[in-house]
Amino acid sequence: MHPLPHPIGATRQPDGTLPFPTPCPEGPPDGVPSAPPGPTLAQVAARAGVSSATASRVLNRSAPVSAEIAARVERAARELSYVRRRAPAATARDTGAIAVVAFADVLRFHADPFPVRLLAGAQRVVPERELVVLTAGPGPARPSLVRYLCGGHVDGVLLVGRWGDPALPGLLQAAGVPVVSLGRPPQSQRLAHVDADNLSGARAAVNLLHRAGRRRIATIAGPPDTAAGADRLAGYRRALADQGDPARCAVAYGDFGSRSGEHAMLRLLDQYPDVDAVFAASDAMAMGALRALHRLGRRVPDDVAVIGFDDSPAAATARPGLTTVRQPVEDLGARAVELLQDAAPGRSVVLPTHLVVRQSC
């Protein structure tokens, strides 16, 4: 067996043994002020009325607890501004990485040009950093995801898409991890976010159809539990109110995907045969609507005018060319990273949209 290493030049004791090394002094060196202690896990637990072990399970997502207890612990952590202590190496190190957590189906995420353009805009601002892209499903975030994001591996987190776990931003903030939402978060969340002016863009699209002489304007709306879906539907309804005819709403819902747009267009024509225009809440759904209209022999724009939303690359190459609402996708990604670096909780940035008129209208 090899002997244990010992310090070079160490003086042996009279009995031949080596002295124990001098323990490191606790606290900062003389003259260096120590940071004031922050709230502890025990204080969070006491405020929430639970044990420290239960509070730890909630904040680390290491074991399931009831929704009521989890809400109490998360609220206590926010009220106390509790920051989970990390290892010194993690806090002192600039990791050089930003996590982009996309709540979307993996296949759709990689097939959709929107997130690629978003990432390109983000990378433009921080070319020296790595963007770590993680995809997550609906529902509560997995404990492994929370541990990774809170474990000192990234310098900030961008949340993209319909995040189904309202507790996740609070857990990140409690761990001292900057977080920004791409898209307006739920009303209950005070979270920095960047979004496009979805309401005004939709309103402008429907008003354009009305000025073109269309009188039975339908919409293919996105999921109503998403900010973009809700705001674009609100813009459609606001435009009909502008025209003095809010009762003539004709709404079918899709999931922002092409197939859902095709099915929604068929439902609209079945329920409202006199539809002469449709505003779709995404270009993909508008492309699906074009397929349905072509299949039924409806001419675009002669019989039915179509407007989409996004100004995706496919909009310009569609036949006929798709009129759409352009949102500055790359700028959304860039501004989100800037907000992340500013670390300004609750600050919001809303970027303007504008119409791109082509042959479908």
Side-chain angles (χ1 to χ4, degrees), residues 256-274:
F256 291 130
S258 177
R259 285 188 179 181
S260 73
E262 185 172 357
H263 295 155
M265 188 74 250
L266 294 172
R267 290 196 302 273
L268 285 170
L269 292 173
D270 183 58
Q271 296 174 20
Y272 311 99
D274 59 338

Side-chain angles (χ1 to χ4, degrees), residues 60-359:
N60 291 306
R61 294 295 179 86
S62 57
V65 299
S66 72
E68 187 268 335
I69 289 177
R72 279 161 41 196
V73 172
E74 289 154 7
R75 183 169 58 251
R78 288 194 301 271
E79 291 172 352
L80 293 173
S81 299
Y82 170 74
V83 177
R84 192 161 61 90
R85 300 292 183 260
R86 304 182 195 169
T91 55
R93 184 179 72 244
D94 181 356
T95 69
I98 293 173
V100 181
V101 184
F103 295 87
D105 174 78
V106 174
L107 292 177
R108 176 175 290 184
F109 176 80
H110 289 285
D112 189 346
F114 180 89
V116 176
R117 295 170 62 192
L118 209 61
L119 293 172
Q123 193 75 79
R124 186 177 71 202
V125 176
V126 284
E128 74 286 357
R129 291 182 182 268
E130 298 292 337
L131 297 180
V132 181
V133 181
L134 307 168
T135 55
R142 293 181 179 275
S144 57
L145 175 64
V146 177
R147 284 196 298 269
Y148 175 78
L149 297 176
C150 296
H153 306 291
V154 296
D155 299 320
V157 177
L158 300 181
L159 301 178
V160 182
R162 184 170 27 171
W163 34 282
D165 187 351
L168 179 59
L171 293 172
L172 294 171
Q173 291 169 331
V177 181
V179 56
V180 170
S181 173
L182 274 151
R184 178 172 56 80
Q187 296 295 331
S188 61
Q189 298 281 340
R190 184 177 179 272
L191 186 63
H193 67 276
V194 178
D195 205 358
D197 192 347
N198 293 295
L199 191 151
S200 294
R203 189 177 185 180
V206 178
N207 283 331
L208 174 65
L209 291 169
H210 188 262
R211 289 196 302 272
R214 309 291 173 162
R215 291 298 176 263
R216 190 48 155 149
I217 304 171
T219 186
I220 301 174
D225 59 345
T226 63
D231 288 351
R232 293 171 195 179
L233 179 58
Y236 163 80
R237 287 180 166 145
R238 189 80 57 86
L240 293 188
D242 292 343
Q243 298 151 19
D245 200 7
R248 286 182 64 81
C249 289
V251 183
Y253 291 91
D255 63 4
F256 291 130
S258 177
R259 285 188 179 181
S260 73
E262 185 172 357
H263 295 155
M265 188 74 250
L266 294 172
R267 290 196 302 273
L268 285 170
L269 292 173
D270 183 58
Q271 296 174 20
Y272 311 99
D274 59 338
V275 163
D276 61 1
V278 62
F279 162 64
S282 74
D283 283 353
M285 292 196 298
M287 302 292 282
L290 290 176
R291 285 199 304 272
L293 291 166
H294 177 74
R295 188 198 312 171
L296 296 177
R298 301 288 186 99
R299 296 168 300 165
V300 177
D302 303 55
D303 300 325
V304 182
V306 179
I307 296 182
F309 201 111
D310 289 330
D311 194 27
S312 63
T317 59
R319 292 294 176 266
L322 182 64
T323 296
T324 185
V325 180
R326 174 179 293 166
Q327 58 174 332
V329 181
E330 289 83 0
D331 290 343
L332 287 172
R335 294 302 299 275
V337 172
E338 290 171 356
L339 268 189
L340 200 63
Q341 294 177 319
D342 291 345
R347 184 181 168 196
S348 63
V349 174
V350 179
L351 300 181
T353 57
H354 68 273
L355 284 165
V356 178
V357 179
R358 298 190 179 98
Q359 294 78 33

Side-chain angles (χ1 to χ4, degrees), residues 42-67:
Q43 290 172 319
V44 172
R47 190 180 187 95
V50 300
S51 68
S52 294
T54 298
S56 177
R57 283 196 293 271
V58 172
L59 298 176
N60 291 306
R61 294 295 179 86
S62 57
V65 299
S66 72

